[in-house]
Amino acid sequence: MKISKNRYHGDLPKIGIRPTIDGRRNGVRESLEQTTMNLAKSVVKFLSKNLRHYNGELVEFVIADTCIGGVAEAAQVAEKFSREGVGVSITVTPCWCYGSETMDMTPTIPKAVWGFNGTERPGAVYLAAVLAAHNQKGIPAFGIYGEDVQDVGDTTIPHDVQEKLLQFSKAGLAVAMMKGKSYLSMGSVSMGIAGSMINESFFQDYLGMRNEYIDSSEFIRRMDKEIYDKEEFERAHSWVKENCMEGPDNNVEANQRSRVEKDKDWEISLKMALISRDLMIGNPKLAEIGYGEEALGHNAIVAGFQGQRQWTDHFPNGDFMEAILNSSFDWNGIRPPYMLATENDSLNGITMLLGHLLTNTAQVFADVRTYWSPSAVERVTGYQPQGLAENGFIHLINSGAAALDGTGEQSIDGKPAMKPFWEISEEEAQKCLDATLWRPSSTGYFRGGGFSSDFLTKGNMPVTIARINLIKGLGPVIQIAEGYTVELPNEVHDILDTRTDPTWPTTWFVPNLTGSGVFKDVYSVMNSWGANHCSLSFGHIGSEIITLASMLRIPVNMHNVSEDKIFRPSAWGMFGTNDPEGADYRACSNYGPLYR
């Protein structure tokens, strides 16, 4: 099992388990002690097998020292959780307990309650009572209630309860992991893109994060003064020569850079990658060469690089830097990906971070570039789209910053996939590299040169695209579209790809259609997308994003997740049950940002 050292300051968050119990002595409590504690232990056993942090470490659990029968024991547990670094709270019980006396009152920690569905003891009655207390006190909690009745003493966890425990835990850990970390802006606003206009209130109030900034000139200073690990640079340089294949230069001959210039571009691109990583998380090697301040980094769990245009009009673009850091491997081997947004699009960077923390996989940064209708495809290529693509598709393509995991050269059960780094084999990493060409950048876009990754994503991968947008007077909203990557005949791909920029990575995407609303057709999904960028995650994780968004109090303005998979705090239902989208907006507005 591969485990990487935690690269951020602060301990990894833990999950706290709170076994609550009927506090009446002289026979009642005593008869329930073992059953209640065993139920808590069964939750730990299940979640331990299914949860890992981004770096491969097992998630740690903290169980209350005793069952919680009243306010004194609740206070003792709260103190223990605070001391132990608990960031997520799960209360479990098979019986009636005193609701407001036993509840978790810590307002900023995501919390869930599993009330055992059994007839011998009324765990479900406690669940209803304590959720009512949470709702009345304005501390939202997720209620978990199994569909089928179980016998008292049964510590197995039904499948529907497992799904909710896991969905809640993944989202809760993401909330806890972001808290106290930084978003690092490397440069400023790129080409007037709104996402790179940093809104500090969003980061602070909704995510519990801070914002850090450096000017692009810091890259020049570190290159000129050699503030990077020169030994690592030489190793990386050799690795690039061996593993990063250059592709054809599409620039007209008069605009092509010489071999000497291209070699220099590679050197600068590599140094940019080393420097941006060091800016994000620090590097003790820098202290050894006399740069103790630089060695500390900015504790950035996500960053963005402005690039265009001030940098790229004179220096090589950031495509190699962004693509290789976003990937799950580099010259140091297979490791957790970094989250680095092109054009300093902080909102897409955060969307990438949400997807990464929920899945532990690399994310693909992309433009939502073009909707191709079936008739347009046939007009241009003579081909009538079939299968998944029969209703048209969306071209996801950006200038080359996409993680190489996006090639789809990794596999699960023989099917294309993107996996957590600890599941990726050396062979799979090499396949991703072999499937990627590094194309000399268009000197029309990037006057300073550089290289862009060029690959085609394999088809039939289940994926989810998402995006956070900021709306004046409303705040953040998030949109989600689950779907699949599709493959086109080579000659069709070539014709369509050439119309945009064949030197960039392409993913052909089809959202799952529901027949109504925005998801009645592919065109409407494209037409309703709220910005020029999206983040693509492997798997259908829309339900997990919805759960996470509700914890952060960010409403979801569009999604194609089936209603039975939507899991939000109990209080959301009190804002309306007939219109879940409207209830989500009202609840988020009522409670406000998590850290306000």
Side-chain angles (χ1 to χ4, degrees):
M1 173 65 200
K2 300 173 186 173
I3 296 177
S4 177
K5 180 182 177 182
N6 180 21
R7 57 173 65 135
Y8 308 111
H9 298 290
D11 293 333
L12 295 170
K14 302 173 185 176
I15 295 179
I17 308 295
R18 307 173 73 257
T20 56
I21 198 167
D22 191 325
R24 289 172 285 200
R25 304 278 181 168
N26 299 324
V28 177
R29 175 168 179 156
E30 291 84 351
S31 68
L32 295 165
E33 290 275 8
Q34 186 174 353
T35 298
T36 303
M37 189 59 75
N38 285 343
L39 201 62
K41 291 177 180 177
S42 70
V43 171
V44 172
K45 183 178 180 181
F46 165 69
L47 291 177
S48 295
K49 294 179 179 178
N50 292 279
L51 289 175
R52 290 188 183 272
H53 289 294
Y54 79 98
N55 66 337
E57 284 191 40
L58 291 170
V59 174
E60 291 188 48
F61 295 83
V62 179
I63 302 181
D65 293 329
T66 66
C67 292
I68 304 165
V71 68
E73 289 162 321
Q76 292 168 1
V77 174
E79 181 183 9
K80 179 177 183 178
F81 282 8
S82 177
R83 185 174 63 249
E84 294 284 343
V86 167
V88 183
S89 168
I90 300 176
T91 297
V92 301
T93 188
C95 61
W96 165 254
C97 319
Y98 304 152
S100 62
E101 294 183 23
T102 60
M103 66 186 283
D104 183 347
M105 295 281 285
T106 310
T108 58
I109 290 181
K111 47 188 58 60
V113 183
W114 175 25
F116 185 83
N117 185 2
T119 56
E120 290 90 346
R121 295 285 183 174
V125 176
Y126 168 70
L127 175 62
V130 77
L131 290 177
H134 275 285
N135 296 345
Q136 188 167 321
K137 292 175 181 293
I139 307 174
F142 290 76
I144 302 175
Y145 178 55
E147 183 175 350
D148 296 321
V149 173
Q150 294 178 259
D151 298 329
V152 68
D154 182 359
T155 58
T156 61
I157 305 177
H159 182 70
D160 59 334
V161 173
Q162 289 182 358
E163 285 186 342
K164 289 183 176 178
L165 283 171
L166 199 54
Q167 189 165 316
F168 167 80
S169 298
K170 286 180 178 180
L173 287 170
V175 171
M177 190 66 197
M178 288 187 285
K179 187 177 181 181
K181 307 299 190 304
S182 305
Y183 177 90
L184 174 63
S185 294
M186 298 186 289
S188 184
V189 179
S190 174
M191 301 183 297
I193 292 174
S196 59
M197 300 173 185
I198 307 302
N199 186 305
E200 289 205 353
S201 295
F202 165 66
F203 282 89
Q204 179 178 322
D205 295 349
Y206 285 89
L207 309 175
M209 292 176 61
R210 67 173 68 219
N211 294 89
E212 293 283 296
Y213 305 87
I214 61 106
D215 187 82
S216 300
S217 62
E218 178 64 6
F219 281 87
I220 302 170
R221 184 181 78 93
R222 293 197 183 203
M223 284 189 281
D224 287 350
K225 294 184 176 295
E226 297 185 327
I227 308 175
Y228 53 87
D229 185 339
K230 285 185 278 188
E231 181 182 329
E232 183 181 4
F233 169 75
E234 293 301 331
R235 185 173 70 253
H237 200 199
S238 297
W239 181 87
V240 163
K241 288 181 177 179
E242 185 176 342
N243 293 282
C244 297
M245 298 178 290
E246 282 190 28
D249 191 335
N250 272 37
N251 293 292
V252 298
E253 190 171 351
N255 292 337
Q256 291 183 8
R257 295 168 72 79
S258 68
R259 185 68 256 169
V260 171
E261 289 175 315
K262 289 177 180 178
D263 288 344
K264 185 66 175 177
D265 288 350
W266 272 118
E267 292 182 14
I268 294 175
S269 296
L270 264 172
K271 291 174 183 177
M272 289 169 64
L274 295 174
I275 290 168
S276 61
R277 182 204 61 196
D278 293 350
L279 283 163
M280 288 179 71
I281 65 167
N283 186 347
K285 289 285 187 179
L286 303 186
E288 297 176 11
I289 58 175
Y291 293 96
E293 181 182 357
E294 290 84 347
L296 297 175
H298 292 265
N299 199 32
I301 196 171
V302 57
F305 179 69
Q306 175 193 343
Q308 298 187 75
R309 279 189 40 210
Q310 289 82 353
W311 180 270
T312 56
D313 277 4
H314 187 60
F315 293 101
N317 64 24
D319 287 357
F320 174 79
M321 167 186 71
E322 293 159 1
I324 203 66
L325 289 179
N326 281 327
S327 301
S328 300
F329 43 84
D330 61 16
W331 45 88
N332 290 320
I334 298 170
R335 44 89 177 135
Y338 297 83
M339 296 296 110
L340 180 53
T342 194
E343 293 158 353
N344 195 26
D345 186 347
S346 64
L347 298 180
N348 214 55
I350 289 300
T351 311
M352 293 169 67
L353 178 61
L354 301 185
H356 170 60
L357 292 176
L358 288 170
T359 65
N360 293 322
T361 60
Q363 306 294 294
V364 173
F365 185 108
D367 275 359
V368 185
R369 182 63 67 103
T370 309
Y371 163 66
W372 279 100
S373 67
S375 59
V377 174
E378 187 171 19
R379 177 182 63 81
V380 171
T381 69
Y383 172 75
Q384 181 68 37
Q386 300 171 6
L388 286 172
E390 65 180 354
N391 295 310
F393 45 84
I394 296 173
H395 194 178
L396 303 181
I397 180 173
N398 197 265
S399 65
L404 305 193
D405 303 57
T407 57
E409 293 291 340
Q410 300 160 27
S411 65
I412 296 175
D413 297 328
K415 299 177 181 178
M418 296 167 63
K419 302 193 292 191
F421 82 96
W422 60 82
E423 295 180 4
I424 300 172
S425 68
E426 295 287 348
E427 181 183 8
E428 288 174 320
Q430 191 61 51
K431 283 183 177 180
C432 293
L433 288 162
D434 292 344
T436 305
L437 293 176
W438 295 93
R439 306 288 294 273
S441 298
S442 166
T443 53
Y445 286 118
F446 304 115
R447 299 171 185 174
F451 294 89
S452 297
S453 63
D454 175 23
F455 62 76
L456 174 61
T457 302
K458 283 191 169 185
N460 297 304
M461 283 204 300
V463 295
T464 303
I465 64 171
R467 167 75 189 192
I468 292 174
N469 297 297
L470 288 179
I471 313 300
K472 186 174 177 62
L474 173 63
V477 297
I478 190 166
Q479 50 192 165
I480 302 163
E482 294 183 339
Y484 288 87
T485 61
V486 297
E487 288 187 10
L488 303 175
N490 290 337
E491 62 276 12
V492 176
H493 162 77
D494 290 341
I495 292 171
L496 301 184
D497 199 41
T498 303
R499 290 175 67 100
T500 301
D501 194 315
T503 70
W504 296 347
T506 278
T507 302
W508 303 111
F509 169 74
V510 171
N512 293 337
L513 301 179
T514 64
S516 63
V518 170
F519 290 93
K520 64 180 180 291
D521 53 45
V522 180
Y523 166 79
S524 296
V525 175
M526 172 75 185
N527 195 42
S528 301
W529 205 251
N532 52 312
H533 294 149
C534 75
S535 175
L536 179 145
S537 296
F538 176 74
H540 289 158
I541 63 165
S543 58
E544 286 93 337
I545 297 175
I546 289 172
T547 295
L548 174 53
S550 68
M551 291 178 179
L552 301 171
R553 320 287 166 71
I554 299 175
V556 178
N557 71 294
M558 63 177 270
H559 71 82
N560 56 349
V561 178
S562 61
E563 192 169 331
D564 63 307
K565 291 185 176 296
I566 296 174
F567 187 36
R568 290 180 170 126
S570 166
W572 265 236
M574 303 303 153
F575 290 87
T577 57
N578 192 46
D579 175 18
E581 183 175 296
D584 184 30
Y585 273 80
R586 290 187 287 274
C588 289
S589 175
N590 178 71
Y591 291 111
L594 181 60
Y595 300 104
R596 186 173 63 185

